Amino acid sequence: IEEFSTYQWLVRAEKIEIEDDKYKRKISFMLRRIENDIEENENIKEIVAEIINRRISIKRLLDYINVSIYKKEKVIIIIATELFKKGYKIQAIKIMIESYKKFSNSFEVVYTLAYLLHLYGEADQAVSILEIYEGENYHIKKLLAEIKGESCE
């Protein structure tokens, strides 16, 4: 009986691993389609639904992106922006914060994180991020001026 129980446990573990691999391939496939602008809207909706319905964590999604996707920042920003538009602002900001930790030299990531923080009402945090990169990019200067209520010349 003990042998049988061990066998059942191994079969269950293998089944979970197979299902997990299928799920990873499914998500990676959708992410690549987003990356390559193939039926982008449908794939974004599905990925966002997976996040909203808590079938995939943000950490796991970012792990999949890191492994499967070449244009990582592009895909991350698209997903975060869609989450924000749908009202899942905390999740969108969380994705961008995690991305910022990895891609702090990416203008697009810095800008998007600061912009979403600003829209969420966290102007001070947005300003503190933008001030680090203020001299590097006109668009960052412009967003910083907008948040501060100044004109950008």
Side-chain angles (χ1 to χ4, degrees):
I1 290 184
E2 192 174 305
E3 231 177 86
F4 182 70
S5 296
T6 303
Y7 173 76
Q8 284 182 319
W9 180 84
L10 289 172
V11 169
R12 277 196 300 271
E14 187 174 326
K15 183 179 179 194
I16 290 168
E17 217 172 277
I18 290 168
E19 288 173 359
D20 189 50
D21 191 50
K22 279 172 110 175
Y23 185 73
K24 182 179 180 179
R25 285 195 315 262
K26 173 188 168 189
I27 296 296
S28 295
F29 178 74
M30 287 189 287
L31 291 169
R32 281 191 300 275
R33 292 176 68 83
I34 293 168
E35 177 183 30
N36 294 305
D37 304 318
I38 302 169
E39 296 179 4
E40 189 177 323
N41 290 336
E42 291 304 313
N43 290 289
I44 292 169
K45 284 179 189 174
E46 274 196 65
I47 294 288
V48 166
E50 294 294 307
I51 296 167
I52 291 168
N53 295 320
R54 297 176 186 226
R55 288 189 289 264
I56 189 168
S57 69
I58 289 170
K59 182 192 179 322
R60 193 174 206 189
L61 177 70
L62 292 173
D63 287 345
Y64 289 172
I65 290 170
N66 194 42
V67 170
S68 304
I69 303 301
Y70 177 72
K71 301 174 190 170
K72 295 167 182 29
E73 296 98 321
K74 171 189 173 184
V75 173
I76 290 166
I77 290 167
I78 289 170
I79 293 168
T81 303
E82 186 65 21
L83 279 166
F84 199 90
K85 282 194 258 181
K86 291 196 174 289
Y88 295 90
K89 297 174 181 181
I90 298 294
Q91 291 89 333
I93 291 170
K94 186 175 179 184
I95 286 174
M96 292 311 305
I97 288 170
E98 291 303 313
S99 300
Y100 178 72
K101 290 176 186 175
K102 185 167 180 112
F103 305 110
S104 61
N105 291 331
S106 167
F107 153 74
E108 291 87 0
V109 168
V110 171
Y111 185 92
T112 304
L113 173 58
Y115 187 66
L116 294 182
L117 285 168
H118 169 58
L119 292 177
Y120 189 65
E122 295 292 336
D124 291 342
Q125 286 186 347
V127 166
S128 68
I129 291 168
L130 291 172
E131 284 178 338
I132 296 169
Y133 302 92
E134 183 178 8
E136 296 181 27
N137 186 289
Y138 171 76
H139 297 288
I140 288 180
K141 280 184 183 177
K142 189 174 176 183
L143 180 58
L144 184 58
E146 179 183 320
I147 293 170
K148 288 181 169 181
E150 301 170 352
S151 66
C152 182
E153 300 300 323

